[in-house]
Amino acid sequence: MTQISRDDVLHLAQLSSLALADDEIDGLRVDIGNILNYIQQLGELDTSGIEPTYQVTDLQNVWRDDVIDDYGIDREALLALAPESQNGQIKVPKVL
Amino acid sequence: MTKISDFIGKNARLNVQEAISRAKDKEEYHALLSLTEERALERADAVDRGEITGRLAGVPFVVKDNFLAYGAPTTAASKMLETFNAPLQATAVEKLELEGAICIGKANLDAFAHGGSTENSAFGPTKNAYDKSRVAGGSSGGSAVVTALDIVPFALGSDTGGSIRQPASFNGVIGVKPTYGTVSRYGVVAMASSTDTIGAFATNVADAELVMDIMAGKDDKDMTTLPDFFTPSPAKPSLKVGLIKETMTDDVDPEVKQATLQYIEHLKAAGHTVDEVTLPIVKYALAMYYIIVPAEVSSNLARYDGIRYGHRAGDVRTLAELYGKSRDEGFMTENKRRIMIGSYVLSSGFFDAYYLQAQKARTLLVNEFNKLFENYDVLIGPTTPTPAFGLGENTADPIKMYLADIMTVPASLAGLPAISVPAGNSESGLPIGVQLVGQRRSDATLLALAKSLEEL
C-alpha cells in the first residue's frame, strides 16, 4: 500500500504548477493514494526484454519543409486571446 | 430516428431553425453548452442560394466542445477556456463544412475530456437520453445525447479511452472510434496524444460511415495522421469473429451479457463464425491506461498557464503565483488528479516502475491483439460492463468511475478501430451496446459488418 502524505501532495502540486486551496489537499491525498495502489498491479507483469510502445502509428520522422506557415492566424487575433496585453505585447507580472 | 438523408435537398434554413428549436425544447438534458445560431443561419442561407454544395449540404450537426469551431467559445467544458474564442477551426469541422454541413452548437463533455459520465463538466452534467436520473456517459456525453434525442442526425466526439463508444452505448446510438491517425486532430484540445482519436455519433451505420469518409485523411497540420486508407467497402461474407472471454466475466451485468450473446446469434445467422477467444492481459489494460494517459495529460495541459489565453487569476504578485492560481481555479478536481498522477509517474525515481513499465506492458497488449488477428477478423464484447449508471453514483470514487472504461481502453492503447452498436435495451429500458474491434486500418470492414447486421 502506497501512503501519500500531505507533503507528497504539495510536492506533486508544485511539480504540476497547481496552487491548491487548503480544502482540496486531503481529498486529493486519498484519491491519489487509491489510484496509485490500483495502478501498482502492473508491477506483477514480467516485462523483461520487452521494448516499450510509445506510439502506434508505425510512422517515423514525418518531415515538412522548413517554411513559415501562419496557419491563417494573425498577430491581432492571438493577442486578443491574451488576458492582458499592452502595446502589442502580452502582459505578465514581474518575473524577478 | 432521423437520418442524414432526411435533411438533404430540404430548405437549409428550415433544417437549422428546426434543429435549434429541438435543442431548445430539450434544454433540460443539458447536452449543449452553446448554440452557434447566427453563423449556422448564415451558412444555411448560403446553402439555399446554392453557394455551398456537397454531400452534407444543409445537414445540421453538433461538435463536442473540445473542437475549435467558429460561432461560439470553445470551452472544453472548463472554467479555464470559458471565454476562449477559437481563432481557427479543427480540420474535421472544416472538412464537414466543405461538404455543406452546418454546425448548430457545441456539446457538453467532462472538462478537458477527463471522465466517463460528463459529470466533470464545469457547467453541470448532461442527462441520459433514456433516463434523466442517469448519466449520459462520457466524456462525449453531450454529443451522444443530441444524437439520441434526434436534435441532429450526427455529432462529433473525441475518444481517448472510450469517450465516444461508452456514451454511444449508454444512449443507444452508433459510436465510431477509428484507427489511431485516421482523422486529423488539428484544432482539437489535446488530452493524451498517443491515444486521442476523432470520431462520430450517428443513428445508423451508413451515416457514421459517410461522416468518417469525409473526415478521414492525411493532414499536414497533424503529423500523426496516416496516409489515406479509409474507403467504405461492402460487407464481407463469413468473417471470423472472436468473443473476448475476459469481457464476459461474472462482474458484467447479466443483461449486458445476454444482449451481447444475442448479437452474436445474429452474427452467426448472417453466416459469420464466432469462437470464444482469450486476451489475458486485458485485465491490466486499465492500469496501463491510468498511467500513460495521466502522463500525457500532465504534459499536454502544461500549456494552460494563464498567460497567452485562458483563465488568469486576479490578485497575484508573482509569475509562479499566476501559474498556480490560474490553474487551480481553471481546472476541475479530476483534471488536477490526472495532472498530479502524471507528474508522479513521470518523476525521477518512479518513471521506470510506472511509466516505462506501462509502455512495456502496452507492447504485450499489442502483441496479444496481433496474435488474435492472425486468426480472427473482428473481436467482439460488450462496450461497457453495465448500462448507464445513476447521476452521482460514482463521483465519490474515481476508481469506480475509471472501471466503466475497462472494455474500451484496450483498443485505444493499441490504436485499433472500434465501434459501439446498439444491441437492445435492458428490462428497465436502458440501452446496451456491443463493441466491434478490428485490426488497424480495418475500419471499413467493421462498419460494413455493423451495417449488414443493422439491415437484418
Side-chain angles (χ1 to χ4, degrees):
Chain A
M1 290 291 279
T2 299
Q3 294 289 338
I4 294 292
S5 70
R6 212 180 145 83
D7 283 346
D8 292 333
V9 173
L10 290 173
H11 176 62
L12 285 177
Q14 195 203 350
L15 290 176
S16 311
S17 281
L18 287 166
L20 298 178
D22 246 11
D23 60 0
E24 294 179 284
I25 297 169
D26 276 332
L28 282 165
R29 186 179 61 76
V30 172
D31 290 345
I32 290 172
N34 288 340
I35 293 166
L36 290 176
N37 282 317
Y38 181 81
I39 62 183
Q40 266 164 13
Q41 61 177 293
L42 266 196
E44 298 164 12
L45 275 176
D46 180 7
T47 56
S48 47
I50 303 294
E51 290 296 315
T53 295
Y54 292 111
Q55 56 106 342
V56 289
T57 61
D58 294 339
L59 299 172
Q60 286 185 349
N61 295 345
V62 179
W63 303 103
R64 64 164 174 81
D65 291 334
D66 186 16
V67 290
I68 293 171
D69 182 350
D70 67 7
Y71 285 45
I73 309 164
D74 60 29
R75 180 189 173 90
E76 281 64 40
L78 289 178
L79 268 176
L81 296 173
E84 261 191 282
S85 65
Q86 193 180 318
N87 301 335
Q89 316 265 347
I90 293 170
K91 198 173 169 187
V92 295
K94 68 176 179 207
V95 178
L96 292 173
Chain B
M1 294 185 94
T2 63
K3 305 185 294 290
I4 284 175
S5 59
D6 297 339
F7 297 84
I8 302 276
K10 303 278 169 62
N11 182 283
R13 175 169 265 267
L14 206 58
N15 281 347
V16 167
Q17 282 173 331
E18 287 175 356
I20 284 172
S21 112
R22 285 192 295 273
K24 288 178 177 167
D25 285 347
K26 307 277 186 185
E27 258 173 13
E28 73 220 88
Y29 290 89
H30 199 239
L32 288 158
L33 293 178
S34 58
L35 291 169
T36 51
E37 187 164 1
E38 196 182 324
R39 186 163 186 277
L41 287 171
E42 278 170 22
R43 283 183 46 78
D45 290 342
V47 169
D48 288 333
R49 289 192 302 267
E51 292 162 20
I52 303 174
T53 57
R55 286 182 281 174
L56 295 175
V59 179
F61 73 105
V62 159
V63 298
K64 186 178 183 179
D65 203 19
N66 59 350
F67 284 68
L68 272 55
Y70 301 141
T74 297
T75 68
S78 70
K79 293 279 178 203
M80 182 64 84
L81 295 177
E82 189 169 5
T83 60
F84 180 78
N85 282 299
L88 56 91
Q89 290 206 120
T91 298
V93 176
E94 288 279 306
K95 282 186 154 184
L96 291 165
E97 287 202 342
L98 278 172
E99 292 282 355
I102 301 172
C103 175
I104 63 142
K106 308 204 68 193
N108 200 7
L109 63 149
D110 290 294
F112 290 98
H114 300 176
S117 68
T118 312
E119 291 168 292
N120 290 329
S121 167
F123 309 115
T126 295
K127 291 164 185 163
N128 188 281
Y130 283 73
D131 178 348
K132 278 180 281 191
S133 72
R134 292 178 183 270
V135 300
S139 65
S140 313
S143 299
V145 170
V146 291
T147 309
L149 293 175
D150 274 338
I151 291 170
V152 286
F154 75 94
L156 302 192
S158 58
D159 188 316
T160 302
S163 281
I164 289 175
R165 290 161 284 162
Q166 187 251 38
S169 84
F170 282 3
N171 292 282
V173 294
I174 311 287
V176 181
K177 170 237 175 302
T179 299
Y180 179 86
T182 305
V183 178
S184 170
R185 299 171 301 172
Y186 178 70
V188 180
V189 175
M191 175 182 164
S193 299
S194 82
T195 68
D196 283 347
T197 59
I198 305 305
F201 296 88
T203 61
N204 62 89
V205 182
D207 284 356
E209 188 178 50
L210 173 61
V211 173
M212 293 311 294
D213 190 29
I214 290 169
M215 292 199 297
K218 186 161 172 51
D219 181 10
D220 290 339
K221 291 172 176 163
D222 177 354
M223 297 285 185
T224 60
T225 45
L226 298 171
D228 294 358
F229 72 90
F230 180 79
T231 316
S233 64
K236 292 177 186 155
S238 61
L239 291 170
K240 292 189 75 178
V241 180
L243 169 63
I244 304 170
K245 195 176 86 178
E246 287 77 8
T247 65
M248 295 289 273
T249 61
D250 290 343
D251 297 334
V252 179
D253 182 286
E255 286 188 292
V256 170
K257 285 202 278 193
Q258 190 50 40
T260 307
L261 293 173
Q262 202 163 356
Y263 193 86
I264 285 169
E265 287 311 309
H266 293 312
L267 280 170
K268 287 179 177 166
H272 307 292
T273 56
V274 184
D275 303 326
E276 196 177 82
V277 299
T278 177
L279 197 65
I281 202 166
V282 90
K283 71 170 180 163
Y284 293 104
L286 203 64
M288 294 176 214
Y289 183 82
Y290 278 99
I291 292 171
I292 294 167
V293 166
E296 296 184 18
V297 161
S298 75
S299 165
N300 269 327
L301 271 62
R303 72 190 71 186
Y304 302 103
D305 56 8
I307 303 286
R308 295 153 300 151
Y309 53 84
H311 174 73
R312 180 183 286 195
D315 193 28
V316 294
R317 288 174 308 131
T318 67
L319 201 56
E321 231 183 310
L322 185 150
Y323 294 149
K325 278 198 173 171
S326 300
R327 288 165 63 78
D328 186 57
E329 292 170 7
F331 289 135
M332 301 290 283
T333 302
E334 178 64 16
N335 305 135
K336 295 174 199 175
R337 270 185 216 121
R338 293 196 187 195
I339 290 170
M340 290 168 72
I341 290 283
S343 297
Y344 185 91
V345 300
L346 290 174
S347 57
S348 66
F350 300 112
F351 181 91
D352 286 1
Y354 289 94
Y355 184 70
L356 191 62
Q357 175 73 356
Q359 300 288 34
K360 287 178 177 174
R362 188 182 193 177
T363 305
L364 297 175
L365 175 73
V366 169
N367 291 348
E368 276 195 11
F369 268 123
N370 285 343
K371 197 143 184 260
L372 283 182
F373 286 127
E374 286 173 11
N375 294 310
Y376 293 92
D377 302 298
V378 174
L379 302 176
I380 190 172
T383 309
T384 55
T386 64
F389 45 88
L391 285 160
E393 195 178 317
N394 289 346
T395 41
D397 183 352
I399 305 254
K400 226 175 143 201
M401 188 71 90
Y402 294 173
L403 284 168
D405 297 340
I406 199 154
M407 311 288 194
T408 48
V409 297
S412 293
L413 289 168
L416 307 173
I419 60 181
S420 179
V421 293
N425 291 348
S426 70
E427 222 161 83
S428 56
L430 296 173
I432 293 169
V434 163
Q435 179 179 225
L436 304 171
V437 181
Q439 308 183 52
R440 288 177 55 215
R441 296 182 170 84
S442 72
D443 306 54
T445 305
L446 289 185
L447 287 162
L449 175 64
K451 190 160 59 172
S452 68
L453 258 74
E454 196 178 54
E455 285 159 1
L456 288 177

